[in-house]
Amino acid sequence: MTNEPVTVPSNFIVEAVEEDLKSGRFDHVQTRFPPEPNGYLHIGHAKALCIDFGIAETFGGVCNLRFDDTNPVKEETEYVDAIKEDIQWLGFKWGQELYASDYFDQLYDFAIELIKKGKAYVDDLTADQIREYRGTLTEPGKDSPWRNRSVEENLALFEKMRSGEFAEGACVLRARIDMGSSNINMRDPTMYRIIKTPHHRTGSKWCIYPMYDFAHGQSDSGEGVTHSLCDLAYEDHRPLYNWFLDELGLFKTRQIEFARLNVTYTIMSKRFLRQLVTDKFVSGWDDPRMPTLGAMRRRGYPAQAVRNFIDQVGVAKNENLIDVGLLEFNVRDLLNKSARRVLAVLNPVKVVITNYPEGQVEQLEAINNPEDPSAGTRTLPFSREIYIEQDDFREVPPPKYFRLTPGREVRLRYGYIIKCQDVVKDPVTGEVTEIHCTYDPETRGGYAPDGRKVQGTIHWVSASHAVNAEVRMYDRLFTVENPKKVDEDKTYLDYVNPDSLKVLSDCKLEPSLLNVTMGEQFQFERKGFFCADQDSKPGKPVFNLTVTLRDSWAKIENK
RNA sequence: UGGGGCAUGGUGCAAUGGCAGCACACCAGACUUUGGAUCUGUCUAUCUUGGUUCGAAUCCAGGUGCCCCAGCCA
């Protein structure tokens, strides 16, 4: 069954939630997925998605979608729409669609509450000064000279911040905690800063915006989130998260952190992905080589394969670097069961069957999917001139080579057994331009009535019936497993794979592929899985390589 | 030299004081009209030192290594 759900294995988060239910800390479970709409979702987000939605589902709860839109400089509605599309593609259904900006009024009131409690103050220090006063990892910070302003003065100043009387950077609102804390996040963190860029949802209503730390916990709490699941990076922020909830006397959400996903030969950093796009290393966020969900969709990865992959990766707190081969395994595993088989020659060389009658065409029956008998059969035209793969002929065969070579027989899949008699070469380059073969008329369909063994079976396409197509072959985006870890004098850009895209523009496909619909998936026999790209035009399809088939010949040959 | 977190085969995840298991990868073989798929088999691991215990991957103590934190980003 293609869409049989994989049972989600237990993990430390599931256990913690079970414990919370058993102890009575919570009597139900609610989660949220909180992306910032400043870019596209990638495979790393798929892990967070599976955890956030998975925990909710496991315990009969709801997972909300909440956009963390507290910084108008970076955020756009375009990203909101794309994120929703990607989540839906993966098959997740959120409860409410919410925004941190929904809470701006309430957050403002919370800030005033803290000012009145003497727990927040307006600081006139510049950004540079704040950094200086913050101290270092090993030295404590020191108090700002503005730290002890009166409540009245702070209230008045904060109101002026809100009403736009100050320029960006003139001052900020800070929580009054402990400049000597060993946790830097507790050294009077910024709660509000002045930003005069319009917000994608609230426009120019506000010119002060809450920081992540002042918005996230209260947003979670306000919507009744019991378990706020996030990246390990926020572990150091948990004391602050709890501090705000405690000081404000709000419902106490529990934050639990897990290790983010890393995958070999790619990067997850939004900043770096954006650079690959702007510097034209790729054609866009949905370039099939990118680790974004949009790219995977375009490349033909089934959503279920992505989810199965995430389930197999597991959830823990160890830093990890997952072999991209595991993702590819899941893609093949699903596509193998569902994709229709077709014959397609990617790098064609012409074969003339010299003893086959000129002008004759036969229709040969071919199986659509050996893994799925209900997929039925189709018909393939066969004629005197065909194309085969350049790789399937060697004038001088290496050891263990089963394919076509002078004097040897090979089977044409669903066709005839042919024997190579002669080759025609380009007199200048010496390149083989045409291969002359004879066929055995007794072997129609590929069966030898005398029972003789033929080691190789190769795919082919009748020359006069072939559909011309463009096929885009993709390889890993980077040449090293972990582009984040590079030599001192280099950057990840030095490891971009220059051969990650090869466009084959003279491919020959069987006639059934003349009209395909975008996204339709096929197995090109012996080559890999491919899907029709959005760039396809009537009569001139374009295909993306989704993933190659396993290639044990390549292994033998490279030994 | 502050604080937080993490160490199990090549890569991940389990084992919750009692035979270190699963997946992927690898290797070998069977089968095969896809050198695909399928099937079978094999190899490889508890960071280190000490302690507690009949028994430790698990508990305790020390050591080592790696990751994160000094945004008016999230």
Side-chain angles (χ1 to χ4, degrees), chain A residues 69-355:
Chain A
D69 56 348
T70 56
N71 186 353
V73 175
K74 295 183 169 182
E75 297 148 7
E76 289 173 39
T77 301
E78 174 201 343
Y79 295 126
V80 169
D81 297 336
I83 288 168
K84 285 159 69 174
E85 186 183 355
D86 287 341
I87 298 172
Q88 284 166 330
W89 175 64
L90 280 180
F92 293 116
K93 291 182 173 54
W94 56 85
Q96 299 180 76
E97 177 184 329
L98 300 161
Y99 296 78
S101 52
D102 294 336
Y103 307 116
F104 282 172
D105 284 295
Q106 195 176 12
L107 258 8
Y108 181 75
D109 291 342
F110 284 147
I112 287 176
E113 196 179 329
L114 289 181
I115 291 173
K116 285 180 176 166
K117 282 182 73 177
K119 299 288 187 179
Y121 62 99
V122 173
D123 194 341
D124 296 352
L125 253 28
T126 64
D128 285 344
Q129 287 171 322
I130 286 182
R131 190 182 318 120
E132 273 177 52
Y133 277 69
R134 185 156 33 227
T136 68
L137 293 178
T138 52
E139 297 161 308
K142 57 184 180 191
D143 290 358
S144 164
W146 310 106
R147 196 171 195 260
N148 293 314
R149 293 216 250 224
S150 69
V151 169
E152 291 68 32
E153 190 182 4
N154 280 319
L155 249 17
L157 254 17
F158 188 48
E159 168 56 24
K160 284 185 176 178
M161 278 176 67
R162 189 197 64 78
S163 62
E165 290 189 36
F166 298 128
E168 284 190 16
C171 52
V172 292
L173 184 71
R174 291 230 255 167
R176 199 165 181 273
I177 309 180
D178 176 10
M179 290 307 292
S181 174
S182 54
N183 180 347
I184 288 181
N185 295 295
M186 300 298 273
R187 319 238 264 230
D188 289 13
T190 302
M191 293 164 59
Y192 269 95
R193 75 289 212 194
I194 300 167
I195 299 176
K196 305 221 168 170
T197 303
H199 185 278
H200 71 108
R201 291 185 77 238
T202 59
S204 298
K205 178 180 177 190
W206 296 89
C207 63
I208 57 170
Y209 290 88
M211 296 285 288
Y212 163 86
D213 286 307
F214 191 64
H216 205 90
Q218 291 93 302
S219 302
D220 281 342
S221 178
E223 56 199 63
V225 170
T226 57
H227 298 271
S228 182
L229 312 173
C230 63
D231 194 310
L232 243 26
Y234 295 100
E235 224 160 12
D236 291 339
H237 293 247
R238 183 167 9 108
L240 179 55
Y241 181 106
N242 289 331
W243 189 87
F244 282 126
L245 295 187
D246 288 339
E247 290 296 334
L248 262 7
L250 300 175
F251 170 74
K252 197 73 173 290
T253 298
R254 184 199 337 189
Q255 174 176 304
I256 301 176
E257 311 85 6
F258 57 87
R260 66 188 305 156
L261 174 71
N262 296 294
V263 178
T264 56
Y265 299 104
T266 192
I267 49 170
M268 297 299 174
S269 156
K270 248 183 225 179
R271 193 182 121 234
F272 290 166
L273 293 176
R274 177 171 290 111
Q275 191 177 11
L276 291 175
V277 174
T278 53
D279 293 359
K280 308 278 194 227
F281 285 97
V282 295
S283 63
W285 286 92
D286 68 342
D287 184 299
R289 291 166 289 180
M290 293 281 274
T292 55
L293 297 179
M296 292 184 182
R297 180 166 61 238
R298 182 170 178 184
R299 186 162 177 172
Y301 284 16
Q304 190 62 50
V306 173
R307 291 181 60 165
N308 290 351
F309 166 70
I310 297 296
D311 287 342
Q312 289 164 25
V313 156
V315 181
K317 298 182 78 161
N318 301 332
E319 192 189 12
N320 59 72
L321 182 60
I322 310 294
D323 187 345
V324 69
L326 183 62
L327 211 206
E328 294 172 343
F329 163 81
N330 279 286
V331 172
R332 287 191 192 101
D333 189 45
L334 253 33
L335 256 19
N336 179 50
K337 295 163 191 159
S338 63
R340 207 181 102 195
R341 269 61 169 174
V342 293
L343 301 189
V345 177
L346 269 24
N347 293 294
V349 59
K350 186 171 276 188
V351 170
V352 179
I353 299 162
T354 53
N355 60 339

Side-chain angles (χ1 to χ4, degrees), chain A residues 8-29 55 58-60 226-227 229 254 256:
Chain A
V8 181
S10 184
N11 58 57
F12 79 98
I13 298 178
V14 171
E15 286 172 12
V17 174
E18 273 170 353
E19 192 56 41
D20 286 345
L21 257 14
K22 202 183 295 174
S23 72
R25 179 170 176 172
F26 299 111
D27 61 6
H28 70 289
V29 171
I55 289 289
T58 301
F59 294 96
T226 57
H227 298 271
L229 312 173
R254 184 199 337 189
I256 301 176

Side-chain angles (χ1 to χ4, degrees), chain A residues 315-417:
Chain A
V315 181
K317 298 182 78 161
N318 301 332
E319 192 189 12
N320 59 72
L321 182 60
I322 310 294
D323 187 345
V324 69
L326 183 62
L327 211 206
E328 294 172 343
F329 163 81
N330 279 286
V331 172
R332 287 191 192 101
D333 189 45
L334 253 33
L335 256 19
N336 179 50
K337 295 163 191 159
S338 63
R340 207 181 102 195
R341 269 61 169 174
V342 293
L343 301 189
V345 177
L346 269 24
N347 293 294
V349 59
K350 186 171 276 188
V351 170
V352 179
I353 299 162
T354 53
N355 60 339
Y356 194 84
E358 284 198 50
Q360 179 173 307
V361 175
E362 286 179 83
Q363 296 295 330
L364 301 170
E365 190 178 47
I367 294 165
N368 286 334
N369 186 348
E371 304 291 319
D372 176 15
S374 73
T377 61
R378 70 188 184 287
T379 241
L380 253 24
F382 183 83
S383 64
R384 189 169 192 267
E385 295 195 353
I386 62 174
Y387 291 108
I388 68 167
E389 211 70 63
Q390 288 171 20
D391 279 352
D392 287 339
F393 173 81
R394 291 288 180 84
E395 199 173 7
V396 183
K400 297 194 177 172
Y401 188 79
F402 296 167
R403 286 114 94 147
L404 196 62
T405 191
R408 192 191 288 172
E409 281 191 327
V410 84
R411 172 166 39 235
L412 296 175
R413 175 135 244 229
Y414 302 123
Y416 288 95
I417 293 172

Side-chain angles (χ1 to χ4, degrees), chain A residues 527-545:
Chain A
K527 299 308 287 185
F529 294 98
F530 294 80
C531 79
D533 190 76
Q534 59 201 39
D535 293 344
S536 294
K537 298 199 168 48
K540 176 74 183 190
V542 175
F543 287 90
N544 293 317
L545 168 67

